[in-house]
Amino acid sequence: MYRTNTCGELRLADAGKQVILCGWLQKSRDLGGMTFIDLRDRYGLTQLAFNMEINAEICEKARKLGREYVLQITGLVKERENKNLQMPTGEIEISVTELIVLNEAKTPPFTIEDHTDGGDDLRMKYRYLDLRRSPVRNNILLRHKMAQQTRSYLDAQHFTEVETPVLIKSTPEGARDFVVPSRMNPGQFYALPQSPQTFKQLLMVAGLDRYYQIVKCFRDEDLRADRQPEFTQIDCEMSFVEQEDVLNMFEGLVKHLFLSVKGISIDAVPRMTYANAMEYYGSDKPDTRFDMRFVALNKPENNLVSGKGFKVFDEAELVVAICAKACANYTRKQLDELTDFVKRPQIGASGLVYARVNEDGTVKSSVDKFYDEVSLKKWAEACGAASNDLILILAGNAQKTRKAMNELRLEMGTRLGLRDKDNYACLWVLDFPLLEYSEEENRYFAMHHPFTAPKPEDISLLQSGQMGSVRANAYDLVINGVEVGGGSVRIFNKELQAQMFEVLGFTPEEAQNQFGFLMNAFEFGAPPHAGIAFGFDRLCSLFGGAESIRDFIAFPKNNSGRDVMIDGPSAIDEKQLTELHIALKK
Amino acid sequence: MYRTNTCGELRLADAGKQVILCGWLQKSRDLGGMTFIDLRDRYGLTQLAFNMEINAEICEKARKLGREYVLQITGLVKERENKNLQMPTGEIEISVTELIVLNEAKTPPFTIEDHTDGGDDLRMKYRYLDLRRSPVRNNILLRHKMAQQTRSYLDAQHFTEVETPVLIKSTPEGARDFVVPSRMNPGQFYALPQSPQTFKQLLMVAGLDRYYQIVKCFRDEDLRADRQPEFTQIDCEMSFVEQEDVLNMFEGLVKHLFLSVKGISIDAVPRMTYANAMEYYGSDKPDTRFDMRFVALNKPENNLVSGKGFKVFDEAELVVAICAKACANYTRKQLDELTDFVKRPQIGASGLVYARVNEDGTVKSSVDKFYDEVSLKKWAEACGAASNDLILILAGNAQKTRKAMNELRLEMGTRLGLRDKDNYACLWVLDFPLLEYSEEENRYFAMHHPFTAPKPEDISLLQSGQMGSVRANAYDLVINGVEVGGGSVRIFNKELQAQMFEVLGFTPEEAQNQFGFLMNAFEFGAPPHAGIAFGFDRLCSLFGGAESIRDFIAFPKNNSGRDVMIDGPSAIDEKQLTELHIALKK
């Protein structure tokens, strides 16, 4: 062993001990008579002291060392004169008697400090140096702890970890697969799994009863900040359970993670139907850290806006308001900013109507030309707006307006400081639609995946062709407006599964060709089963209080799917292509 | 929840309770007045009783159920009249009051019993049914426990689990890579990792200090029973350690696994140099459950065979013997079998010489024509052969003869019952050669991999061109003749690494192109580091007492790399090929 202790463990009680430490030179201060070095390893920092009077030779040597040199030192633990109580080792220093340079280091291209001067690209290229910085290292350690605690909970609940294959078969349904040409099977390709969905269902048919896996999955899609071509899921499946059992089991997991990793006790997770989430928040993943619910002003049974000559509202499918508490004093400039915000192409509203509730209870709006005080007071009442509140209103096509209002609500939440990253609001969203219609392809798609079970009471709708109204026993777990997990009760009956494939536009031959092994398996005694999968990268970033998942992946890829550190992907040679029975297309 | 209890948990103390169980119909016995069903789930079997007199309707229904039907039953726990103490639930049965068929089942293509009538191919095709059989299920549960205990040990030793990428860059050194065409980077390919070797070394440069991962790796090689295109490693790396530290740490892991998984206490693991392993056993992975060491009879300093006119021995580079205890009574037929065994092409010996030590101490050999009693007695003495022992001798080219004798020794071990699968002998093999010469390619290859450090005392040999004599700080863990793990101290110095690449025939440009990111990383302060990787599939199969790793993989592939259950790999459509910028070669 090169060392007796780490750089994070020595305390005042160790004073007088002879120790050997190893680590990287974080910082060096030359005060003439004394030289101090902060030595860093994964566990912490320890101050090394070199005294010109005691040992001039070693002190001279220490003065010449550069940042990030790898050192091994022998010395005596001493109580410090100037204690630094911010540092766990801040009461001691090492009086160094022996100094060995284990490795030199070129000056790093950016500073290895919590707040570095390195830009994103540079830090990605030298990821191994970026990982030396404690915020990045702490993310990786957090991820480890999250995985540990996930396993600890699921192991205790008798889940069995099973590794499913990575080299599988391509299925056209869903996102684009990464494929792997097979050398031994000319002209054929493996696919990398987008999820172990079919395998985990087969494990239920196999009687494994409770399965989990923390597993890499792959999607060849265009990338964004929070999407990576390879990502990790906590993948789970259970037999002989109903939706309620799955919700309880994984609510338990989330509570366990919050408590064991962050020391936070979470109450029972509230539940909301998809329909209500869309109505109240215009989103199937609402951020419920703050309320600010949507209020429709043009409900058929209580229309507060129509018939007053304001065409925009009269012709709108939906007129919807939110109430921003204590914002009546927003300036013209602030309101213009909000108008500009909702008119951005990605938000897509054509304008913003507002109404302020004054101190004295009177209401003043941007559409006073059309609406009198009585009408405006009714708006305020419907929105629960009191003195000094600001009502913001969007109107137009229902779906687009809800989407735009969702964005505006989040923007207001941010502006009002209602989205504190250290405050966590969890929510189950239930009863998702089973199918989504694609105008483009002129057919229904499975919203979750083709194995999701319709709600028993809605199966008749499926049979009578009211496809869009069929609800599924499908659920998402949303935390702070981020979808961290989703799952469903599965179809376990061969006939219903065949019917689903038919609805999705598969011919029986296509269904057999792609999912035959699963449908065949269902003939041999499939149990009722249900499952869920969590986006592990996203869950970690949420627990780490960050927006991007990249910082929680040791070696992430950029938006072109490249690893700039290893400079991959790369060309391969002709011989290899020939062996794989493929050629490049010019 | 569909059930109140599992099929493995009810005991006599539960008698009188009303319970709901779910599971598969394992077996049904219709005795006229009574019908009994064994209901199975992952946790066990419970007997269900249906009584014609008590409830004729339900009894009639029960009689009609087929094997593997999925049932939900409600009933009363009762003490059995005919107890089966072999079964944990054998003292009770359930008097069924309600019976629901959750799913029907076609008759399975083979019996779901410990000893099934299904052949390999059929069981692979219906793997989800094979997994219902308890021996196969137990293998998967054993694997889960192995993973759990591995993590538990390494977590306690402050190892951090880090996920390394699956989509990486192809490197020509080593085995053949699986590759993945990149849609976003036309003409370029990702490779699937053969191991996370370079990434774990970069994690050491990053200061992670102790890393592990239970990780899928990929090799596109021709397959055998114990090789799969995707396999799992326990991959580990440590910083600021020497070989001794790694050996101790992972000896600890192996002891922990034996104790926690099998309840076996393992003594300190013996160590042997590669040179000695080759000399004593003709193998770098000797089965040390039994001794039967090689004895060279033509040592230059003590040649017991030459000069007696027997050309085969006179001209042999090596004449080597083993002593089979108490086998002097082997019949002509048995000796012929052994001769045939060594002459098989894959063994490659040209013949077998034997000498029996008779009851009275006289020695009788198959080469009595050339050797007198005095000579033969010297052989017996050298071999430690006593009365009734049989000496078996092979001769020829040293390397080939050692290899053949290794096979003969293992064969004798098997014949003599010395290789009990419930007896475990662990061994560290140390000081592997750094380089191997390939006659075919006329150059040296790294025996372990190009990052392995030579022993410091042998570096001068590297510099003076005696490449074949350089020993590495490389080690393998061998259990019962199976290499279950291997690793090395790594080079952490850029110059030495560059020198290694030169020895391996890389131009500086090739080295930079393929491993530049690692060599560059070494310029920024690489710590001394070392690591090891265990073949997890093989370790599981060894703990499970089986020869093949396939039974310990939930969904294995066959020798053509096919998953016959999902029928993959498969053709993909033209559109997909075009998107990936590739075409099939006709």
Side-chain angles (χ1 to χ4, degrees), chain B residues 292-295 297 313 319-325 327-328 330 334-336 338-339 341-342 351-356 366 379 383 385 389-395 401 405 408-413 415-416:
Chain B
M292 211 186 281
R293 288 193 180 191
F294 291 10
V295 177
L297 300 180
F313 282 5
V319 179
V320 66
I322 53 173
C323 171
K325 288 280 157 201
C327 292
Y330 261 37
Q334 285 174 301
L335 290 165
D336 284 348
L338 292 180
T339 306
F341 175 83
V342 299
L352 175 67
V353 169
Y354 63 84
R356 309 170 193 266
S366 57
W379 295 6
C383 295
D389 292 351
L390 175 69
I391 299 169
L392 300 169
I393 307 172
L394 297 176
T401 304
M405 187 53 109
L408 180 60
R409 174 180 173 273
L410 293 176
E411 172 67 17
M412 290 308 297
R415 283 175 179 244
L416 296 173

Side-chain angles (χ1 to χ4, degrees), chain B residues 315-378:
Chain B
E315 292 172 359
E317 190 183 353
L318 177 69
V319 179
V320 66
I322 53 173
C323 171
K325 288 280 157 201
C327 292
N329 60 350
Y330 261 37
T331 62
R332 181 79 235 168
K333 182 159 169 275
Q334 285 174 301
L335 290 165
D336 284 348
E337 274 171 18
L338 292 180
T339 306
D340 290 345
F341 175 83
V342 299
K343 287 168 91 171
R344 286 159 56 182
Q346 61 271 45
I347 313 284
S350 50
L352 175 67
V353 169
Y354 63 84
R356 309 170 193 266
V357 184
N358 296 320
E359 188 93 45
D360 62 3
T362 58
V363 187
K364 184 90 187 114
S365 86
S366 57
V367 287
D368 280 0
K369 198 155 60 162
F370 302 103
Y371 299 95
D372 58 14
E373 185 71 19
V374 175
S375 294
L376 295 178
K377 283 216 165 149
K378 282 189 185 155

Side-chain angles (χ1 to χ4, degrees), chain A residues 124 127-128 131 216 230 554-557 563-568, chain B residues 162-171 191-208 211 213 215 235-237 451 515 517-518 521-522 529:
Chain A
M124 289 285 276
R127 183 67 171 174
Y128 46 87
L131 284 165
K216 275 276 173 78
E230 53 179 299
F555 299 103
K557 294 188 175 56
D563 181 330
V564 296
M565 180 187 70
I566 63 173
D567 195 23
Chain B
V162 181
E163 292 175 58
T164 53
V166 175
L167 297 171
I168 64 165
K169 184 177 169 175
S170 191
T171 56
L192 305 182
Q194 296 181 29
S195 88
Q197 184 63 35
T198 49
F199 287 97
K200 69 176 173 174
Q201 293 195 244
L202 289 172
L203 287 173
M204 296 303 106
V205 175
L208 255 284
Y211 144 90
Q213 193 181 188
V215 61
D235 193 49
C236 307
E237 197 79 8
F451 316 110
F515 299 106
F517 58 97
L518 187 63
F522 280 5
H529 58 290

